[in-house]
Structure formats: structure tokens, C-alpha cells
Amino acid sequence: MAEVATEIAKEIEEKAETPVTVAPTKAEEASEAETKVTVTPPKTVEATNKPAGEEVKPTETSSLGGKLETDVEIKASAGQFHHMFTGKPHHVSKASPGNIQGCDLHEGDWGKPGSIIFWNYVHDGEAKVAKERIEAVEPEKNLITFRVIEGDLMKEYKSFLLTIQVTPKHGGPGSIVHWHLEYEKISEEVAHPETLLQFCVEVSKEIDEHLLAEE
């Protein structure tokens, strides 16, 4: 009887030591999928989305917040492209008439922080408007940041920032236009503005062609 009891005790110990693999729950799987969708902030975020002189503080991105960015290679110089958005954005409609119908100065001066400009544009086949405030201008970096304060984008986003920074291309002529969009959606149903980022790419290429034709 003692031997039988010993054998039973060993079996119980072996079962207790056997590792049990727990399958992930649907909630955990969904969480992983959402994490993969999160856009990683670029290295230049602190330099591009804060007005000059403002202390840079770490921000916590909510599930509704997002950032999109892209680079566009152009043949024009960095200074030429930057000047289109600081000195004469009302000429952008001449460079890209299919996308931009007009740009008017409502307050302040062209290319000056705090100034208000109003855009008429066509996006996703629809005529739209946007009133923007110039948040920051850094001529030495060929950088300008706009904050959308009124217009069609505000129907789907609580906040929307666009930063354009142009840098000379290393090892040859031309430049790289870096577009950085930072936004907060009003709900999960709102899509990320990927088509607007493509819109920015198209406008950049047409501005480049316009600048080259002026030379």
C-alpha cells in the first residue's frame, strides 16, 4: 500500500510541474494588431512641430492621435521651394491648379508666425477649404509649420498640424521635401489622412516643375 501511495504522489507532482500553455485571448490579439498600426514618431518631431522658443515636452499620443510623414525628391533648391510657402503661397495655385484653387492672406504677413491664410483646394474629388495659422518659421532650416484652425479638416479632426521642411540633397543638386502631418481624429471611425499625404506629394512635384520652368 505504501508503494502505491508513493506512485500516486509522484504522478500528482509530475502533473503539477507540467507547463500549461494559455492561448491568447481575442482581446489580446486585437491589442497587438492596434499596436502595429501605431505610427512611430519621426526623429525630427521635436524640431518641426513646436514654435520657435517653446520648450519641448514629451507628449502622450492617444489612440485617436497619429503622425504621417513622407519625403519627396525635387530638382529645385531648398530655398526656392521653401519660399513658395513663405513668400508667395498665393502662387501655389499657378503651380498646381488642379489641386490648389487659391490662397488668400486673412491676417498678418506672408511667412510670419501668427499670420492667418485661407486655402481653396480639391481633395478626393471634392472642393474644400482650410484656414490655417502659421505656427513656426525657421528660414535657416527651410521649415514652416501650419495649424489648421477652420475648414473641412476640422469636421473629422480635433487638431491638425502640417510641417514642411526642405533640405539640400547630399552629393548632388536638388532637395528633399519632408512633409509631416500630426493630428487627432474626432473618433475611431475617421480614417488616417493618407490620401492627404499623397495630395501633398502631388503638389510638391508640380511646384518643382513650376520652379524649374521659371529658371
Side-chain angles (χ1 to χ4, degrees):
M1 292 293 291
E3 291 178 357
V4 173
T6 301
E7 288 296 323
I8 293 173
K10 287 182 178 180
E11 290 179 3
I12 293 173
E13 289 177 355
E14 288 175 355
K15 290 180 180 179
E17 292 173 355
T18 302
V20 178
T21 302
V22 179
T25 64
K26 292 183 178 180
E28 290 171 339
E29 290 175 352
S31 177
E32 283 188 4
E34 290 172 1
T35 302
K36 293 176 183 177
V37 173
T38 302
V39 181
T40 304
K43 294 180 181 179
T44 57
V45 169
E46 293 185 353
T48 59
N49 64 5
K50 293 290 182 181
E54 182 178 330
E55 182 182 358
V56 176
K57 298 180 180 179
T59 57
E60 184 177 346
T61 304
S62 70
S63 60
L64 297 177
K67 298 172 184 177
L68 290 176
E69 59 183 339
T70 191
D71 290 330
V72 184
E73 292 190 19
I74 62 172
K75 295 179 181 178
S77 70
Q80 284 178 307
F81 193 95
H82 176 67
H83 185 62
M84 282 292 288
F85 284 94
T86 55
K88 50 180 183 180
H90 49 299
H91 288 190
V92 175
S93 60
K94 296 180 181 179
S96 185
N99 293 304
I100 306 294
Q101 276 64 60
C103 179
D104 299 310
L105 180 66
H106 278 208
E107 294 180 25
D109 299 303
W110 294 119
K112 300 295 182 182
S115 297
I116 306 296
I117 59 179
F118 190 87
W119 297 90
N120 288 277
Y121 64 103
V122 176
H123 173 233
D124 287 341
E126 297 180 14
K128 298 181 179 181
V129 297
K131 181 183 283 190
E132 298 177 343
R133 180 174 63 241
I134 299 176
E135 291 285 284
V137 179
E138 298 183 46
E140 69 282 0
K141 295 181 180 179
N142 294 309
L143 179 150
I144 186 168
T145 298
F146 299 96
R147 179 183 295 277
V148 182
I149 55 177
E150 291 181 22
D152 289 275
L153 282 172
M154 293 292 94
K155 297 175 183 178
E156 297 183 310
Y157 300 92
K158 294 180 181 178
S159 63
F160 208 104
L161 278 167
L162 302 92
T163 296
I164 311 166
Q165 184 171 15
V166 198
T167 55
K169 191 184 297 182
H170 296 294
S175 312
I176 303 294
V177 182
H178 182 76
W179 287 87
H180 178 75
L181 312 183
E182 184 173 355
Y183 51 89
E184 183 178 0
K185 302 183 295 181
I186 60 173
S187 70
E188 292 288 358
E189 286 69 35
V190 174
H192 292 281
E194 293 175 337
T195 60
L196 185 62
L197 192 66
Q198 183 58 38
F199 171 90
C200 296
V201 171
E202 293 173 4
V203 171
S204 298
K205 292 179 178 178
E206 293 185 346
I207 289 176
D208 185 37
E209 292 176 1
H210 176 78
L211 292 172
L212 294 175
E214 285 186 335
E215 293 181 350

